[in-house]
Amino acid sequence: MAVASMQPTQFDLVYDVLSFSLATMMATTIFLWTRVGSVAEKYKSALIISGLVTFIAAYHYIRIFNSWVEAYAWDNGALTATGIPFNDAYRYMDWLLTVPLLLIEIVLVMKLSPEETSRQGMSLGVSSALMIILGYPGELVLDESNLGMRWIYWAAAMIPFLYIVKTLLTGLAEATDSEEDPAIRGLVKRAQVWTVVSWCTYPFVYILPMFGVSGANAVVGIQLGYSISDIISKCGVGLCIYQITIAKSAALKNGGGSYGSA
């Protein structure tokens, strides 16, 4: 991504948000992985994958943060571009790995048969990867004279996006409603809704440049929007998965149980 002329306050804002996002990802990873021993064996995979999602994200936030710092330098109290492009492609490399895993961790804690778990995991994983691949070329388009191409890639990526949202809210509704324990059922629904709500912010952040937000304002808006969405969808949903695994482990210990993988 070409470096736009940046005000010191704008630079500091993105700097602080990227730093906060990195710390949040690292803290969530440590918490989730240290709690793996507290859940039943059948739910450990979901918790490990949840921690893997935030671990991968933490690594990429280190790279994004370093790239942001390298793109600018202070010269006699003034902020100037170094000429080194800010590499925002790290986000898409991160999403290509973490988004399928995020969906798989949700599927793993649902009341599905092993066959249905495998089918839904594959379907959602492939759809999410396709969504990321289709959206990435448009992310590179910030030239106001060529924003029509950004719309095209946005529309293409929205097709698998809408399929995933529909699957989470309605396609898996029967499995969610089949949970006997209302508390567990509520936790599963919360994980699904949090995922959808956080994901709905991504398409809006993507189209900021198409609504007159340009230059440094577009760069700052995109970085803030994506970072906040990442924290909710990765850390927030990861903690929801933790609550589900703890609740289901307790039910299993007390003589309860669920069909299939959860």
Side-chain angles (χ1 to χ4, degrees), residues 24-67:
T24 304
M25 297 296 172
M26 293 175 66
T28 304
T29 299
I30 294 171
F31 174 78
L32 292 175
W33 280 353
T34 55
R35 298 297 294 166
V36 170
S38 301
V39 302
E41 188 67 31
K42 65 188 300 184
Y43 303 122
K44 287 182 178 179
S45 294
L47 202 54
I48 291 171
I49 291 175
S50 295
L52 188 59
V53 166
T54 51
F55 175 80
I56 295 171
Y59 165 76
H60 284 109
Y61 267 97
I62 292 173
R63 302 306 298 268
I64 295 170
F65 180 85
N66 289 342
S67 181

Side-chain angles (χ1 to χ4, degrees), residues 5 9 27 52 60 63-65 68-69 76 88 96 109 115 133 150 153 163 168-169 206 211 219 222 244 252 259 261:
S5 177
T9 52
L52 188 59
H60 284 109
R63 302 306 298 268
I64 295 170
F65 180 85
W68 181 255
V69 172
N76 295 323
D88 199 33
L96 193 59
V109 297
E115 295 77 17
I133 292 170
R150 193 176 176 100
Y153 287 112
Y163 167 76
L168 287 175
L169 295 182
Y206 190 98
F211 287 95
V219 174
I222 289 171
I244 295 169
L252 199 63
Y259 176 74
S261 62

Side-chain angles (χ1 to χ4, degrees), residues 86-161:
F86 171 52
N87 187 357
D88 199 33
Y90 289 126
R91 284 198 184 277
Y92 276 79
M93 297 304 100
D94 172 73
W95 293 338
L96 193 59
L97 293 171
T98 59
V99 173
L101 290 175
L102 193 153
L103 293 170
I104 289 172
E105 73 186 43
I106 295 175
V107 171
L108 285 175
V109 297
M110 297 192 67
K111 192 175 182 182
L112 297 167
S113 67
E115 295 77 17
E116 184 67 9
T117 297
S118 178
R119 188 182 72 81
Q120 291 289 357
M122 178 64 69
S123 175
L124 291 172
V126 171
S127 297
S128 62
L130 181 61
M131 175 182 67
I132 303 303
I133 292 170
L134 290 173
Y136 176 64
E139 193 72 69
L140 302 177
V141 180
L142 289 175
D143 186 353
E144 293 182 24
S145 63
N146 197 32
L147 289 179
M149 289 301 299
R150 193 176 176 100
W151 276 116
I152 292 173
Y153 287 112
W154 178 84
M158 285 298 291
I159 296 173
F161 172 85

Side-chain angles (χ1 to χ4, degrees), residues 169-190:
L169 295 182
T170 62
L172 294 172
E174 184 177 348
T176 303
D177 293 337
S178 67
E179 295 285 356
E180 294 89 355
D181 188 328
I184 293 177
R185 185 164 60 249
L187 289 172
V188 174
K189 286 184 177 179
R190 181 193 300 174

